[in-house]
Amino acid sequence: MSLTFTSSFDSGAIEVDAVGDDSAELRIRPDVRSDGSRSEFRQWFHFRVGGVGSSGARLRVTNAGETTYPEGWRGYRAVARIDEQRWMRLPTGYDGRTMTIEVPPSRTIEVAYFEPYSWERHRALLADCTARGARQQRLGGSLQGRELDRLIIGSGPQPVWIIARQHPGETMAEWFVDGLLQRLLDPDDAVARGLQRMATFHIVPNMNPDGSVLGNLRTNAAGANLNREWLQPSAERSPEVLAVRDAIQATGCAAFFDIHGDEVLPYVFIAGCEMLPGFTARQQQEQGAFAADFRAASADFQSEHGYSAKKYQDDVLKLASKYIGHTFGCLSLTLEMPFKDNANAPDADAGWSSARSARLGADMLGPVLKHLERTAP
Ligand code: ZN
């Protein structure tokens, strides 16, 4: 009996070329737009396989070497879960062209680039946070009409903004926000109480609802990379950024965090604003102090490996954290987590995972509180 494949569900994406009894040839699908056309990015995959016999199956992804981040497959292992159980990593190889995933015997197995964070779960997160005291506000709609929501938490004078999943395939970003929210809404947590007194949090757990459901890595339903839209967002191409940028203008901003995943680097790191022309000594000092506090708060965070400040030049203000840092002169950071694992603290079973992302989100709150205490007016 042949293997069966489907990706007709929330965030599903794969192309199937050939199917046998215990093997298949697959291709990673490009990001798609509303009109069915494709954009230039391709990396995300998510599908279910049925009919894997007692000797398992070998899946060959023949265009891995032609994806947006081919180096992302070196040292990478696909994630999967059998019969809706816990996610795990599968034995995965890459020879520079083809990625090979070894699938264990199973009735049905779900395979993905990283643990998905579904739209249904997103809606449940909003409902749970609202029941625990957060205020939910609709900022606008996506191009395909999905709700773009923020959660407002706390009553302090300093506005803190946290956004996630501008790049929808970086699902670890929403797991991070999930963990952060669980702690921020814990009435027994002294850090959370201090933060709610000093700050008002504005949190957008999913900046790109359409891309998330479409199974895209980087783009929305118009093919726009939202993290290159902040200088000139438009209602036609990037209404998600337009709505959030307007809301930030309305509240002001004392600290900004844009949460991402990096396909290649096996570390957690931040990218700051030091390349901006108006970057001040005070901003430098605040950024350095925050990084030092974060290192002390989480053994998963480090400052040795990351992006060179030279990575962005002319287009730098198109990026969210640079635009906000430049506009408000505040602490403004992009946080990156790995798709693979943290090479400083590897986990042979799970690699980098949803649980570690959530823990990191909770652990960032202590450093945020220290930052607000240092900079309080
Ligand atoms: Zn990203």
Side-chain angles (χ1 to χ4, degrees):
M1 204 178 80
S2 277
L3 302 172
T4 60
F5 287 84
T6 180
S7 58
S8 295
F9 49 78
D10 181 346
S11 85
I14 197 67
E15 291 174 343
V16 182
D17 279 343
V19 180
D21 292 345
D22 57 4
S23 66
E25 297 215 342
L26 311 173
R27 275 177 299 123
I28 291 175
R29 191 208 70 182
D31 284 11
V32 293
R33 303 186 182 94
S34 281
D35 63 7
S37 65
R38 277 122 188 261
S39 46
E40 69 267 35
F41 301 103
R42 69 168 86 202
Q43 195 88 10
W44 174 261
F45 57 87
H46 184 195
F47 54 88
R48 279 198 291 271
V49 195
V52 182
S54 55
S55 53
R58 170 170 289 192
L59 311 180
R60 299 180 69 246
V61 181
T62 57
N63 67 347
E66 297 153 36
T67 54
T68 305
Y69 303 102
E71 288 305 305
W73 309 123
R74 295 200 190 279
Y76 168 79
R77 291 174 294 157
V79 304
R81 61 175 176 174
I82 296 173
D83 295 334
E84 309 287 322
Q85 300 297 305
R86 227 175 110 81
W87 288 89
M88 58 186 175
R89 296 274 178 171
L90 297 180
T92 304
Y94 178 61
D95 64 7
R97 293 177 60 182
T98 298
M99 173 167 64
T100 306
I101 304 172
E102 306 289 346
V103 173
S106 49
R107 206 169 46 216
T108 60
I109 183 164
E110 186 175 348
V111 184
Y113 185 25
F114 195 81
E115 284 182 55
Y117 197 105
S118 69
W119 186 244
E120 186 181 354
R121 188 177 177 109
H122 167 78
R123 303 293 307 160
L125 174 68
L126 296 179
D128 176 57
C129 291
T130 306
R132 293 169 60 190
R135 285 158 284 155
Q136 181 181 342
Q137 192 206 11
R138 187 170 177 191
L139 290 169
S142 67
L143 279 170
Q144 293 186 327
R146 293 187 178 87
E147 306 94 328
L148 186 69
D149 286 310
R150 82 168 139 181
L151 293 167
I152 303 172
I153 297 166
S155 53
Q158 303 199 71
V160 175
W161 277 84
I162 301 172
I163 67 170
R165 289 187 86 181
Q166 290 202 83
H167 295 147
E170 295 164 7
T171 54
M172 62 284 283
E174 193 159 6
W175 290 111
F176 174 101
V177 166
D178 190 321
L180 182 147
L181 284 164
Q182 301 308 328
R183 185 175 183 193
L184 186 57
L185 290 166
D186 181 353
D188 299 321
D189 190 298
V191 168
R193 291 165 70 107
L195 285 167
Q196 290 211 32
R197 196 168 56 243
M198 295 197 71
T200 301
F201 280 78
H202 305 268
I203 300 176
V204 184
N206 189 335
M207 281 283 296
N208 196 337
D210 295 345
S212 303
V213 175
L214 290 168
N216 287 351
L217 177 78
R218 274 175 93 75
T219 54
N220 71 356
N225 174 355
L226 296 185
N227 204 26
R228 299 293 184 277
E229 291 285 315
W230 284 72
L231 199 52
Q232 285 185 307
S234 71
E236 297 73 35
R237 187 174 156 78
S238 46
E240 301 90 352
V241 173
L242 187 61
V244 173
R245 204 187 72 162
D246 283 351
I248 298 174
Q249 295 285 2
T251 62
C253 195
F256 179 83
F257 303 92
D258 181 17
I259 315 301
H260 287 257
D262 186 274
E263 291 77 8
V264 178
L265 290 175
Y267 298 101
V268 176
F269 58 96
I270 51 173
C273 290
E274 57 274 16
M275 74 295 290
L276 295 176
F279 191 68
T280 62
R282 174 186 56 78
Q283 282 177 294
Q284 178 80 62
Q285 196 272 330
E286 286 174 10
Q287 197 175 292
F290 179 84
D293 288 340
F294 205 171
R295 284 195 301 274
S298 171
D300 271 326
F301 182 77
Q302 56 81 52
S303 306
E304 196 178 329
H305 306 275
Y307 298 147
S308 154
K310 296 190 200 76
K311 178 170 171 169
Y312 304 104
Q313 296 293 330
D314 296 344
D315 62 348
V316 72
L317 288 178
K318 295 179 181 175
L319 278 75
S321 69
K322 319 307 176 199
Y323 179 86
I324 297 297
H326 182 70
T327 303
F328 294 96
C330 63
L331 178 71
S332 187
L333 301 170
T334 306
L335 178 98
E336 299 280 353
M337 287 169 278
F339 274 87
K340 300 172 181 175
D341 201 346
N342 175 2
N344 287 338
D347 181 324
D349 293 327
W352 191 254
S353 63
S354 63
R356 291 176 81 177
S357 306
R359 174 61 68 89
L360 186 72
D363 286 347
M364 194 179 80
L365 288 177
V368 174
L369 179 59
K370 286 185 178 167
H371 169 73
L372 295 176
E373 287 170 348
R374 274 193 298 270
T375 58

